[in-house]
Amino acid sequence: MSAEITRTSTAEHYDSYVVQNYGRAPLTLVRGAGSKVWDDAGREYLDFTSGIAVSALGHCHPHWVSTVQRQAGELIHTSNLFRNPNQGELARRLVQRAGPGRVFFCNSGAEANEGLLKLARLHGMRKAGGVEGKCYKVICAEKAFHGRTFGGMSATPQEKIQGGFRPLVPGFAFGKLNDLQSFADLIDEDTAAIFIETIQGEGGVNPATPEFLRGLRKLCSEHNLLLLLDEVQCGIGRTGKFYAFEHADVRPDAIGMAKGLGGGFPIGAIWIGEGSADLFKPGSHGTTFGGTPLACAAALAVLDIIEREKLLEHVEAVSAAWHQRLLGLVGKYPQHLSGVRGLGFMVGLQMVDDAAGWVGKLRDAGLLVPMAGGNVVRLLPPLNATTAELEKAVMILDQVLGAST
Ligand SMILES: *Cc1c(COP(=O)(O)O)cnc(C)c1O
């Protein structure tokens, strides 16, 4: 960082030059290592935001850093007019995890979901005997969040996200999460797909139950609909399985992923099962930056570290005890905290009052966490957070909740 950028100038630069579209904390972060980050005054924080479930290995994992550094000196970008070894290898390994099929690479969660929605259109056209624009409807869930593009927003039934941007993409309907009948009731002959987050993130950490997911699978198979799962936040090990749907033992037709996949480097991907992977033909979809040698090297390093350090096993092994400790806080502070939800390292604390105030107090006490819809404080530790770090977060929560009685 150049010497002439001072603490005050950063705040001023944001005030004067950066679009004011975020509710941003008054905090400038300059360095990270593992589960810790430091601000520009040298203060240390325990980072359970993980860049919103992106920095899955914490900050600056040595193997990730050396892999990215080496690749940056070798080859960074070539476009998809050519092959590169890293993209092929990453696709192979994601297929190994998800099942027979193919992978398309992009750059973000929203872009992955656009790919899924375009796939739904192509499936609908095939279902309608090649007639375009007839079978195009997609059923999503209330409280969903699928991103800020027009497709993603249209699948996200929240006024704070859609307001000001209408007209939206037509054809979306919304059932109630975990109410199979409400989804079944929305299916008609123009329906092409069902599209949900396996665990809703921004909507407040609301898991789809295994029975519900299996019910959707059955509905989709019966009605020739694609079952599309948004694993952008809950995927890549966050819940202790590589994909969150593995807890339910179902096989979707396609999956969107992004956040944790690059461990901090922007990369998104969709896996498409073998029955539908041929819907995209040469020329029918694409993106300039998708699957670069550098982005794929970063993601391969993430997969290597998850395997070598047995992080899925780690998350599974330590989660139950950690959740119990958090539930203990519900018993201790029922006036502030009314419940704990989630799976593995994707946890939502249901607060009685507005979560924003709590997020600020926790930050002041040294713990960085994001909030979610419906008064929820989220805890998203890196997958390699130690039991001592998980316990430290419980202690900070205890202290902050206790000081507010
Ligand atoms: C974050 C998120 C997205 C959007 O991802 P971007 O990379 O911000 O475009 C989509 N779906 C879910 C479930 C997410 O959590």
Side-chain angles (χ1 to χ4, degrees):
M1 193 169 64
S2 67
E4 55 276 27
I5 301 175
T6 63
R7 296 188 64 193
T8 21
S9 73
T10 296
E12 280 169 15
H13 293 163
Y14 270 78
D15 287 349
S16 305
Y17 304 118
V18 176
V19 171
Q20 302 289 302
N21 59 320
Y22 296 110
R24 217 186 299 265
L27 190 62
T28 303
L29 299 175
V30 295
R31 192 162 65 85
S35 302
K36 296 181 187 128
V37 284
W38 286 268
D39 71 8
D40 55 355
R43 183 161 182 218
E44 180 185 308
Y45 296 85
L46 180 62
D47 183 10
F48 277 17
T49 297
S50 301
I52 318 184
V54 167
S55 309
L57 311 167
H59 299 282
C60 302
H61 188 291
H63 174 69
W64 189 95
V65 171
S66 63
T67 305
V68 168
Q69 281 176 338
R70 192 176 344 105
Q71 187 62 50
E74 207 166 283
L75 189 64
I76 294 175
H77 174 89
T78 56
S79 87
N80 281 297
L81 301 175
F82 308 98
R83 294 193 291 258
N84 77 73
N86 294 350
Q87 184 178 143
E89 171 65 3
L90 182 58
R92 184 187 73 78
R93 286 173 65 177
L94 291 174
V95 165
Q96 207 175 37
R97 290 280 184 184
R102 293 175 180 275
V103 178
F104 167 82
F105 291 103
C106 55
N107 306 283
S108 69
E111 197 187 0
N113 289 338
E114 291 300 312
L116 296 181
L117 294 171
K118 286 176 76 172
L119 184 76
R121 290 280 177 101
L122 294 176
H123 174 77
M125 187 163 93
R126 180 149 81 185
K127 193 176 157 186
V131 182
E132 191 173 3
K134 217 194 126 349
C135 177
Y136 65 97
K137 293 183 184 168
V138 177
I139 305 172
C140 303
E142 289 173 6
K143 298 189 191 167
F145 179 83
H146 295 295
R148 304 288 194 150
T149 51
F150 270 95
M153 262 196 313
S154 304
T156 300
Q158 296 179 51
E159 184 55 30
K160 70 170 197 262
I161 287 181
Q162 296 182 340
F165 300 110
R166 297 185 180 90
L168 299 170
V169 178
F172 289 90
F174 301 93
K176 259 193 172 31
L177 188 72
N178 295 327
D179 176 348
L180 194 62
Q181 194 57 46
S182 76
F183 277 70
D185 290 344
L186 291 169
I187 296 171
D188 65 27
E189 59 175 17
D190 299 335
T191 307
I194 291 178
F195 177 38
I196 67 160
E197 295 155 271
T198 316
I199 302 177
Q200 291 184 338
E202 304 304 310
V205 189
N206 308 308
T209 64
E211 308 76 66
F212 177 69
L213 286 169
R214 287 194 286 266
L216 289 185
R217 174 68 274 172
K218 194 155 171 281
L219 275 181
C220 286
S221 300
E222 281 166 11
H223 295 270
N224 188 15
L225 316 177
L226 294 185
L227 177 59
L228 309 174
L229 292 181
D230 180 345
E231 292 247 348
V232 167
Q233 187 162 153
C234 61
I236 324 296
R238 180 132 298 275
T239 66
K241 301 274 190 207
F242 192 80
Y243 296 111
F245 65 78
E246 293 173 36
H247 293 279
D249 203 20
V250 293
R251 179 69 54 87
D253 296 300
I255 311 163
M257 52 199 126
K259 290 197 165 87
L261 180 58
F265 200 95
I267 181 169
I270 57 178
W271 168 89
I272 311 173
E274 56 187 350
S276 306
D278 65 328
L279 285 166
F280 283 122
K281 305 254 189 277
S284 63
H285 192 45
T287 184
T288 300
F289 291 112
T292 67
L294 186 58
C296 293
L300 284 168
V302 170
L303 300 191
D304 283 346
I305 294 162
I306 286 178
E307 282 164 28
R308 278 187 216 162
E309 300 184 7
K310 300 199 178 337
L311 294 181
L312 302 180
E313 295 83 345
H314 169 67
V315 171
E316 288 226 299
V318 301
S319 292
W322 185 47
H323 295 174
Q324 278 308 313
R325 294 282 289 133
L326 294 167
L327 278 167
L329 297 176
V330 177
K332 201 165 167 188
Y333 306 108
Q335 72 277 32
H336 297 314
L337 180 57
S338 62
V340 178
R341 289 193 295 272
L343 269 175
F345 282 9
M346 183 170 179
V347 166
L349 305 177
Q350 181 66 58
M351 309 311 293
V352 173
D353 300 319
D354 183 31
W358 292 110
V359 166
K361 285 180 190 173
L362 291 165
R363 182 179 66 236
D364 293 342
L367 175 64
L368 302 185
V369 290
M371 50 186 215
N375 294 351
V376 170
V377 168
R378 257 180 303 173
L379 303 178
L380 302 169
L383 306 183
N384 51 4
T386 63
T387 46
E389 287 163 342
L390 298 174
E391 181 55 28
K392 185 170 176 195
V394 174
M395 279 164 54
I396 295 174
L397 280 160
D398 195 348
Q399 172 198 325
V400 166
L401 290 163
S404 311
T405 350

